[in-house]
Amino acid sequence: MATTLTATFRPVLAASAAAAALLAFAPAAWADAALAPHRAIYELKLKETRGSSGVDRIRGRIVYEFTGDSCEGYALSFRQVTEIGSGEGDTNVSDLRAATWEDGKAQSFRFTAQNYLNQQLDKDTDGRAERAADEVKVVLTKPNKGEKEFEGRTLFPTEHLKRIIAAAQKGETLIEAPVYDGSETGEKSYDTLAVIGRQSEGVPADVEEAAKRPELSAAKRWPVSVSYFERGKREAGGEQTPVYAMSFDLYDNGVSRAMKIDYGDFVLDGELKELTFLKPSDCK
């Protein structure tokens, strides 16, 4: 089970899209979405299991704090603690802690993450990425020192989120992009495929108590699903299974609710339990 935990839980650092009208990205060509600084807490529960995962109970919590702006850059503090039980009576706890900073112009990205399994440090990642004219260069200091290069159109997480919102506001329904978020050992980027549903406004009938906020009642929102694929891992026939997939309601200020995380062997529901809007900056 420990190996499964290590491989399965990755930071959910961003929200991100597939076939008919795929979008080509030029970094400066998008409107700058106004993202609200906020702190959100999600309660995780097991929704379903598949195959022979051996998992029969899961509970956990995500604490997600997002601050900053396009002037000062965007900072994210993330923690996901998950308790997983098996039918054999074993219980394991994964504690994933991550922090990132992203330049407001999406030119620089810094990241650090620690993953603990049953209170023992299992992974420790630290590094930075810089965007050049035709590549994204990554310098890693943990777990191993080294450098990686990815194609220039690779997006960082907040830039990716802003582009999804911009596409949704334009009525686009599909968006594809490679994304680098520094997760796991920081050595991989991911192909992402996001599908954006029809825009809605007002308060949905099934909204969580925490989402009954004036800041959200007048906001536009879209159902979004995002699949993450490991780059260069195409299977025979061109098909590929995602590493994991997410779906959620995304508001035009960057807040998410009604989360579902699909890890393949099992699916988690993430209910928004607390939402606090933080003081915005004076960025113009």
Side-chain angles (χ1 to χ4, degrees):
M1 177 65 75
T3 302
T4 301
L5 281 169
T6 304
T8 297
F9 288 100
R10 304 176 57 249
V12 186
L13 299 179
S16 153
L22 297 181
L23 303 176
F25 296 117
W30 288 75
D32 190 8
L35 303 178
H38 67 282
R39 184 175 187 267
I41 297 178
Y42 302 89
E43 183 178 283
L44 300 176
K45 294 181 180 179
L46 181 64
K47 179 179 177 63
E48 64 176 287
T49 61
R50 305 188 184 106
S52 56
S53 66
V55 172
D56 69 353
R57 62 189 185 279
I58 297 179
R59 64 176 184 172
R61 176 166 286 203
I62 290 173
V63 180
Y64 177 104
E65 184 168 311
F66 179 87
T67 58
D69 51 52
S70 59
C71 298
E72 299 177 357
Y74 300 97
L76 173 64
S77 175
F78 174 93
R79 187 173 182 182
Q80 179 176 338
V81 179
T82 313
E83 181 181 284
I84 301 181
S86 72
E88 300 173 352
D90 295 329
T91 299
N92 291 276
V93 177
S94 170
D95 183 353
L96 181 59
R97 310 170 189 181
T100 68
W101 179 87
E102 186 173 330
D103 170 52
K105 298 185 182 299
Q107 299 301 301
S108 300
F109 180 61
R110 299 199 300 265
F111 55 92
T112 180
Q114 295 81 41
N115 190 52
Y116 293 82
L117 287 176
N118 299 323
Q119 301 183 330
Q120 298 295 316
L121 181 62
D122 181 68
K123 285 185 179 179
D124 190 2
T125 305
D126 190 273
R128 69 181 190 276
E130 301 288 339
R131 186 182 305 282
D134 58 353
E135 68 177 10
V136 170
K137 184 175 181 178
V138 176
V139 177
L140 297 169
T141 57
K142 295 178 182 179
N144 301 303
K145 292 185 178 180
E147 297 184 0
K148 300 287 292 185
E149 290 81 33
F150 302 102
E151 60 183 292
R153 74 187 191 103
T154 301
L155 306 182
F156 300 138
T158 302
E159 180 189 16
H160 190 201
L161 172 62
K162 290 164 68 174
R163 293 191 179 194
I164 290 175
I165 294 172
Q169 291 173 331
K170 292 165 61 178
E172 303 285 355
T173 58
L174 300 166
I175 179 171
E176 172 274 339
V179 171
Y180 180 79
D181 62 11
S183 59
E184 297 190 40
T185 59
E187 297 178 318
K188 301 176 183 178
S189 66
Y190 292 85
D191 285 324
T192 66
L193 185 61
V195 180
I196 305 167
R198 182 176 298 179
Q199 176 183 308
S200 298
E201 297 182 41
V203 180
D206 61 344
V207 71
E208 303 97 321
E209 191 64 32
K212 295 178 180 178
R213 300 292 302 270
E215 296 91 341
L216 298 182
S217 61
K220 299 174 183 176
R221 70 179 189 281
W222 302 267
V224 175
S225 63
V226 188
S227 298
Y228 289 79
F229 303 87
E230 187 172 341
R231 305 214 76 196
K233 296 292 185 179
R234 289 284 180 185
E235 299 173 358
E239 296 296 326
Q240 189 177 13
T241 301
V243 176
Y244 80 100
M246 296 181 61
S247 62
F248 44 89
D249 272 8
L250 175 63
Y251 290 87
D252 58 9
N253 59 5
V255 173
S256 297
R257 60 166 294 272
M259 184 187 302
K260 184 174 78 172
I261 312 173
D262 187 342
Y263 289 109
D265 289 340
F266 52 86
V267 181
L268 302 181
D269 275 337
E271 180 183 357
L272 181 63
K273 301 298 289 186
E274 296 181 29
L275 176 62
T276 304
F277 284 94
L278 307 175
K279 184 180 178 180
S281 72
D282 297 324
C283 178
K284 301 295 184 182

